[in-house]
Amino acid sequence: MVQLNIDVGNLPIIAGGDDCKIWDIDSKGVFSVKYAKDTIRENAETLPTAILFSRPVVHPTLSVQYWKILAKQCCASDDNVIKKTGRCLPSMCHLCRRGCETLGHIIWQCRFAKRIWAWAARIFNLQPREDLVASYKAAKGCSRMIKDLWLVANLAITTELWRLRNKVYFEDAVVHWLGFKGRVYQLIRDNSIRMKGHMNNTMEDLRILNYFKVKHISCKVSSPIEVRWCPSNQDEIMICCDGASLGNPGPTGVGVTFRDANAAVLGVLCVGLGLQKNFYAEVCAVIYGSMLARRWNFRSICVQYDSMSCIQAF
């Protein structure tokens, strides 16, 4: 403070009150500007839709186009123009020449849109939804590569439908089904280069990936590992315990299961420890389990645990 020309004898007097923490060290024990900014700023709520179309598997150009069309409602469809200007305008879909032009009609209700969505549903054997999150959840149980390909297909069809509408509206272009389907197919195939996941070792996955000519196909092979444990001896209680934390440090808790010699569950224990580190929770799991077993007058205790460092410390 002296080197910074601060008068130590003339510091401002604190008015009093309770202390409050405004800046703390990060998980590595360092005072950083980034951590201070994250501490004092108010984090905005992240929408589930934004998490999907901003994933690394989606090209930034495709994600920005989808964000402007559906997330921000920036497209100048007839219903948005009427809503913003307050004027009554004649409206007609420029793709099917039927019905009023709304964003929902262009993307879903239009005859041309129904045809392209039906094409995607036949290829993936999945049913698309108007909500992107619900449509992505339709691929639950599929491999990571099929999920990513299905997500890209939903974004590509939406953006290409709006682009086709603009070409018809501003350039008087003629709608050609084969040309439009070819552009959607090429857009899905181009984004497949960014995929890093694995496929399932099934003919269904191979059929979909071969249709889009996806390269670098890899199967995730899992080798089963045999795990066994034996019941405790007579007049002995077995404690199966573990601790965990959401972050390090973070909210922590422990869980303990008590079994007898017949592997019957005698009771369970769960304890919340607040904001602690992971190793602290691991140790407390053994301590709390042993304390409760001792309270039940068990003198012979067998502890089953998966942390060698915790076992050595105990």
Side-chain angles (χ1 to χ4, degrees):
M1 293 166 65
V2 175
Q3 293 178 354
L4 297 176
N5 297 324
I6 298 177
D7 188 1
V8 182
N10 193 21
L11 294 176
I13 300 175
I14 301 177
D18 297 332
D19 295 339
C20 63
K21 183 188 295 185
I22 62 173
W23 193 8
D24 199 0
I25 58 177
D26 56 12
S27 58
K28 297 181 181 179
V30 179
F31 283 99
S32 62
V33 177
K34 179 181 180 301
Y35 190 74
K37 181 189 70 175
D38 295 339
T39 303
I40 63 177
R41 74 174 182 176
E42 296 181 359
N43 295 327
E45 182 183 1
T46 304
L47 299 177
T49 307
I51 297 177
L52 285 180
F53 66 75
S54 60
R55 292 182 57 183
V57 69
V58 183
H59 194 274
T61 302
L62 183 60
S63 62
V64 168
Q65 291 174 352
Y66 185 87
W67 174 74
K68 290 191 294 185
I69 293 174
L70 288 184
K72 297 298 291 183
Q73 299 280 331
C74 294
C75 52
S77 56
D78 288 349
D79 59 333
N80 284 338
V81 173
I82 295 174
K83 186 185 302 183
K84 292 179 181 179
T85 60
R87 300 177 181 179
C88 294
L89 300 175
S91 177
M92 182 185 65
C93 177
H94 293 80
L95 296 180
C96 64
R97 304 290 180 178
R98 299 175 183 176
C100 299
E101 185 189 71
T102 62
L103 186 59
H105 178 84
I106 297 173
I107 305 300
W108 295 100
Q109 282 79 36
C110 177
R111 176 172 53 87
F112 201 75
K114 290 181 179 180
R115 188 175 181 182
I116 190 65
W117 285 115
W119 168 77
R122 288 195 304 269
I123 298 301
F124 289 93
N125 199 17
L126 297 172
Q127 189 62 35
R129 301 287 191 272
E130 293 190 19
D131 182 46
L132 181 62
V133 178
S135 184
Y136 182 75
K137 288 183 179 179
K140 183 178 180 180
C142 300
S143 63
R144 171 56 56 188
M145 188 166 285
I146 298 300
K147 286 182 178 180
D148 292 341
L149 206 63
W150 174 246
L151 174 62
V152 171
N154 280 262
L155 302 180
I157 292 175
T158 301
T159 55
E160 286 299 320
L161 280 170
W162 179 250
R163 182 177 297 179
L164 179 64
R165 179 264 180 192
N166 288 338
K167 286 186 176 181
V168 175
Y169 188 86
F170 296 105
E171 302 176 10
D172 294 330
V174 180
V175 178
H176 294 288
W177 163 249
L178 293 179
F180 173 72
K181 188 177 74 170
R183 287 194 301 272
V184 173
Y185 172 86
Q186 190 62 37
L187 187 58
I188 297 174
R189 183 182 174 187
D190 292 343
N191 279 264
S192 66
I193 302 176
R194 304 171 62 90
M195 297 180 184
K196 304 296 182 182
H198 298 274
M199 62 169 285
N200 291 337
N201 191 16
T202 59
M203 292 300 297
E204 182 67 15
D205 282 21
L206 188 62
R207 177 187 64 82
I208 298 174
L209 297 177
N210 285 340
Y211 181 85
F212 291 100
K213 299 180 181 179
V214 178
K215 298 181 179 180
H216 309 291
I217 302 176
S218 59
C219 297
K220 188 175 182 179
V221 181
S222 58
S223 301
I225 301 176
E226 183 180 1
V227 179
R228 66 174 64 183
W229 61 275
C230 300
S232 56
N233 300 324
Q234 293 295 331
D235 299 329
E236 187 180 57
I237 187 173
M238 176 178 292
I239 302 176
C240 302
C241 50
D242 197 6
S245 64
L246 185 61
N248 195 19
T252 57
V254 300
V256 186
T257 302
F258 303 90
R259 297 177 181 270
D260 59 8
N262 297 322
V265 178
L266 302 178
V268 294
L269 171 68
C270 60
V271 181
L273 303 177
L275 189 65
Q276 298 291 343
K277 292 189 175 181
N278 183 59
F279 184 73
Y280 181 83
E282 299 276 4
V283 174
C284 286
V286 181
I287 295 176
Y288 287 165
S290 303
M291 289 173 59
L292 188 57
R294 182 65 185 86
R295 187 177 299 177
W296 290 346
N297 295 324
F298 282 97
R299 296 183 177 274
S300 182
I301 302 173
C302 176
V303 180
Q304 293 279 354
Y305 214 56
D306 60 351
S307 174
M308 182 58 65
S309 60
C310 182
I311 293 174
Q312 294 174 352
F314 184 76

